[in-house]
Amino acid sequence: MLYRKVSLRTISANVLFLIVGVGREVLHTELQSIASPPDANGLSYVYSVENFDALNGLIGRLIDATCEKCAVSHMTDIVVVIDDLSESAMKQQEFSRALDGLTYIAQSLPAYGQAHGQTVTITTIGDLGFRHTSIPNATDLGSLLTSIQSIRQQQSSCYIDECDKALVLNISSGMIHIINITGQNNYQRNNSRKIIVVFSSGRFMDKSLARLELQDALNESNNDIFAIGHGFDIDMEGLHAIVKEPYNVFTLLDDNLETLDVFKSKLSYIVCS
């Protein structure tokens, strides 16, 4: 690895290096040391994957890096979904790490306080209803971090007064509702990109049924939908059931949050003239 580092450093700085590590034994810091540093087009050029399907995600970044007359846009409406359903059985540590991952992502968003920057909303799906975390100013980092810190895992019964006790949710019905309301027009932000980020264990009771029930909503939606799971006990089949593209599933297999750097790059996008 040392030889490779020295060799790469002798090559012209105009060359862009995207480094791909495959498997669980990849050392992320080593990959970072030989990859191109972050720039306006990407927060990371290191990809850690378990299979080669995930490499489809490289295509968009390669276009970004080689496109002429293009600019980065941060006008993105981000909807964060935390799966707190009992059927998903998210462990306390997994829930805590989901909040850590969300905090890490929030701290990297570049356009707070800008009229055409990103907005963020957070929704928790529980068995008996939705919990919408209040964010007084969605473009303010301090308010967003305070809101994240206030999120608590549900107990055995409904945890908010506003729960509709006649409503029983599962991952399919919860996601369909969120996909539909996220796709509604906001005429002040018609040109914004809509992103849904789901933190989940993927351990649904019937993953095939979840995929079937979500299929129409996923296919008809123009939202970019991502799933993030933490730990070795996540169910990849379940996570893949709630996204359109398999390369939009991200996993944190250790406590190194830097593995989310590639995902953070996706929260901005390229607009070409």
Side-chain angles (χ1 to χ4, degrees):
M1 183 64 74
L2 178 61
Y3 171 76
R4 291 182 182 178
K5 290 184 204 175
V6 174
S7 299
L8 290 175
R9 286 171 182 165
T10 63
I11 300 176
S12 169
N14 293 326
V15 178
L16 179 67
F17 290 99
L18 290 91
I19 307 301
V20 180
V22 180
R24 294 182 176 180
E25 297 182 2
V26 169
L27 188 59
H28 195 75
T29 53
E30 286 286 342
L31 299 182
Q32 285 182 313
S33 68
I34 58 177
S36 292
D39 57 23
N41 289 324
L43 293 171
S44 177
Y45 289 105
V46 175
Y47 288 72
S48 299
V49 301
E50 288 193 49
N51 59 70
F52 289 102
D53 289 339
L55 297 184
N56 288 312
L58 280 172
I59 296 174
R61 305 315 297 169
L62 288 171
I63 294 173
D64 295 349
T66 57
C67 180
E68 296 181 359
K69 297 181 179 179
C70 296
V72 176
S73 174
H74 301 300
M75 192 172 178
T76 304
D77 298 330
I78 303 168
V79 177
V80 177
V81 180
I82 300 176
D83 171 13
D84 201 14
L85 293 162
S86 59
E87 71 162 347
S88 304
M90 187 181 286
K91 302 173 185 176
Q92 184 176 2
Q93 183 183 23
E94 293 172 336
F95 191 89
S96 176
R97 295 303 287 162
L99 298 184
D100 290 344
L102 176 53
T103 299
Y104 184 71
I105 292 168
Q107 289 173 326
S108 72
L109 296 176
Y112 289 106
Q114 298 182 18
H116 298 293
Q118 72 275 332
T119 64
V120 182
T121 59
I122 305 172
T123 297
T124 302
I125 304 178
D127 294 333
L128 298 175
F130 299 95
R131 179 183 181 183
H132 303 285
T133 301
S134 175
I135 304 177
N137 182 354
T139 61
D140 176 71
L141 176 59
S143 297
L144 179 56
L145 294 180
T146 299
S147 298
I148 294 172
Q149 293 169 2
S150 71
I151 298 173
R152 298 291 182 269
Q153 193 168 14
Q154 74 170 342
Q155 302 302 315
S156 58
S157 59
C158 185
Y159 52 92
I160 52 173
D161 295 337
E162 294 80 10
C163 273
D164 181 357
K165 296 186 178 180
L167 177 65
V168 178
L169 293 175
N170 59 22
I171 190 62
S172 304
S173 58
M175 283 295 298
I176 289 172
H177 175 74
I178 289 171
I179 290 170
N180 289 338
I181 63 174
T182 303
Q184 293 174 356
N185 286 331
N186 179 340
Y187 294 104
Q188 293 180 335
R189 295 178 63 86
N190 269 347
N191 296 324
S192 65
R193 182 188 184 197
K194 306 292 192 295
I195 289 184
I196 299 174
V197 184
V198 185
F199 289 88
S200 175
S201 69
R203 295 189 290 268
F204 316 133
M205 293 180 62
D206 192 331
K207 293 173 283 292
S208 297
L209 179 60
R211 181 66 182 178
L212 181 63
E213 291 177 340
L214 279 167
Q215 186 172 10
D216 288 343
L218 291 173
N219 290 338
E220 294 171 6
S221 172
N222 292 322
N223 304 322
D224 292 306
I225 303 174
F226 300 89
I228 300 177
H230 177 270
F232 291 100
D233 292 332
I234 58 173
D235 192 313
M236 291 296 291
E237 183 183 354
L239 294 179
H240 281 114
I242 58 177
V243 300
K244 286 191 283 189
E245 295 87 3
Y247 50 84
N248 281 350
V249 172
F250 293 80
T251 58
L252 284 170
L253 299 180
D254 52 32
D255 291 332
N256 184 7
L257 293 173
E258 291 181 350
T259 56
L260 288 176
D261 284 350
V262 169
F263 169 74
K264 291 191 301 183
S265 297
K266 292 178 176 288
L267 297 181
S268 298
Y269 62 108
I270 303 299
V271 176
C272 299
S273 58

